[in-house]
Amino acid sequence: MKRVGFAQRTAALFLLLASASVGPGCTPKKTKPVHTEPWLAHPPASVEVASDAAIQLTRYVLGERSVIRLELQTKRGKLHAKLTRVHGELEIALTALAQSRAQISAELGSLALDGDDDANAGEWLARAEQALGVADGGASSATASFDVIALDDVSPEALEAKELGDGGRANTRHVRASAEGNLLLNSFRVQKRAPLEAEFAFGADRAVPDSVLIRSRSPFVISLETHEIRLRESPDARGTTDKHRPKVAPSPHEVRVSVELYGTKE
């Protein structure tokens, strides 16, 4: 009978222990995957679809009659100006007005005087154009924008359709709200709040208004210092002595802004 050597017995014992260590109930543990982004970084697709389907948006495009009016208080009195090239679109949720949104922009090169209520109005306009970088006859592409990101204090909450038996009732509906939005001016973005009122006009379609007119209920205030806008002297006055330099009141620190926006259903 052949005797088994010590080395062979040792090898057999090693194999037996190795097979026992991977037997039932002893499966090696797997390393857990490392998560590279937070949980619920994006809502489930089904939730997004349901939200979009629940709220229908009607798009209105701003027309050429839209204007933004500016009022500056100086030591000599009030100075009025306006921006006449205003663009943008409104996405109105007629059944849930608080879900409405808007994107509005104005070409700073369209800055013009709105009335002649100050002897130095022309000087103020020249200084404002210089500060805004549009002192080249309006050829600059510089703009200011206001993106509405939320509406609150909305009354009514939904737009009532024009009923078939309205008879002598006006074909309009009125809404009041306060808009929260981001104002981008001179490369500085600031959150602002603007109280507004809207007048919706119906035509042949009694469910969806043909147009909307949005006006400020009261002006909102823009700090020139916050946007680093400084109304310096005009270039024509710099080469003169103090004796011959035009007497201009100190620069105002803020501007009161009102809007008048005309939107037509696209």
Side-chain angles (χ1 to χ4, degrees):
M1 185 175 212
K2 200 176 209 179
R3 297 181 62 187
V4 180
F6 175 77
Q8 291 174 312
R9 289 199 304 271
T10 302
L13 180 60
F14 176 79
L15 292 173
L16 180 62
L17 292 173
S19 62
S21 66
V22 295
C26 298
T27 304
K29 293 183 179 180
K30 296 181 179 180
T31 304
K32 291 184 178 180
V34 178
H35 295 289
T36 57
E37 63 180 12
W39 291 108
L40 299 179
H42 304 285
S46 58
V47 174
E48 292 181 347
V49 172
S51 177
D52 292 342
I55 300 176
Q56 182 176 357
L57 300 175
T58 303
R59 186 169 180 264
Y60 294 82
V61 178
L62 297 185
E64 60 183 10
R65 290 192 297 163
S66 299
V67 63
I68 296 177
R69 303 189 188 279
L70 314 173
E71 179 185 296
L72 298 85
Q73 182 65 49
T74 73
K75 289 187 176 181
R76 296 175 180 266
K78 293 180 180 179
L79 176 72
H80 296 89
K82 59 185 176 181
L83 296 166
T84 56
R85 292 197 293 270
V86 181
H87 315 284
E89 61 181 50
L90 318 171
E91 293 184 329
I92 307 297
L94 300 175
T95 58
L97 290 168
Q99 303 300 318
S100 302
R101 298 293 181 263
Q103 298 83 39
I104 303 160
S105 66
E107 298 180 33
L108 299 180
S110 67
L111 181 67
L113 295 174
D114 191 12
D116 187 16
D117 48 2
D118 190 288
N120 293 307
E123 171 70 15
W124 278 115
L125 181 62
R127 295 170 70 184
E129 290 177 334
Q130 180 186 357
L132 295 171
V134 295
D136 54 357
S140 172
S141 60
T143 61
S145 66
F146 185 70
D147 294 339
V148 177
I149 58 176
L151 291 174
D152 57 19
D153 298 331
V154 183
S155 179
E157 296 180 355
L159 195 67
E160 177 188 358
K162 181 179 181 296
E163 298 179 0
L164 202 57
D166 274 353
R169 290 181 60 185
N171 297 336
T172 58
R173 297 289 184 268
H174 294 84
V175 175
R176 292 164 64 93
S178 292
E180 293 280 352
N182 292 317
L183 171 67
L184 180 61
L185 173 61
N186 198 32
S187 300
F188 290 87
R189 191 184 306 275
V190 178
Q191 190 163 341
K192 304 298 293 185
R193 180 181 176 87
L196 304 171
E197 60 183 4
E199 179 181 298
F200 291 88
F202 290 84
D205 189 341
R206 297 175 181 271
V208 179
D210 287 344
S211 62
V212 58
L213 167 59
I214 298 177
R215 290 192 178 101
S216 297
R217 286 191 283 125
S218 60
F220 66 92
V221 178
I222 296 178
S223 166
L224 297 180
E225 184 179 2
T226 299
H227 294 273
E228 291 195 357
I229 297 175
R230 299 176 179 85
L231 303 184
R232 301 180 178 88
E233 329 182 276
S234 66
D236 294 338
R238 290 179 185 172
T240 62
T241 63
D242 291 339
K243 182 178 179 180
H244 298 94
R245 185 171 298 165
K247 294 182 179 180
V248 180
S251 299
H253 299 293
E254 60 185 33
V255 178
R256 295 166 66 84
V257 180
S258 301
V259 302
E260 191 172 309
L261 308 174
Y262 294 85
T264 304
K265 185 169 70 71
E266 193 175 55

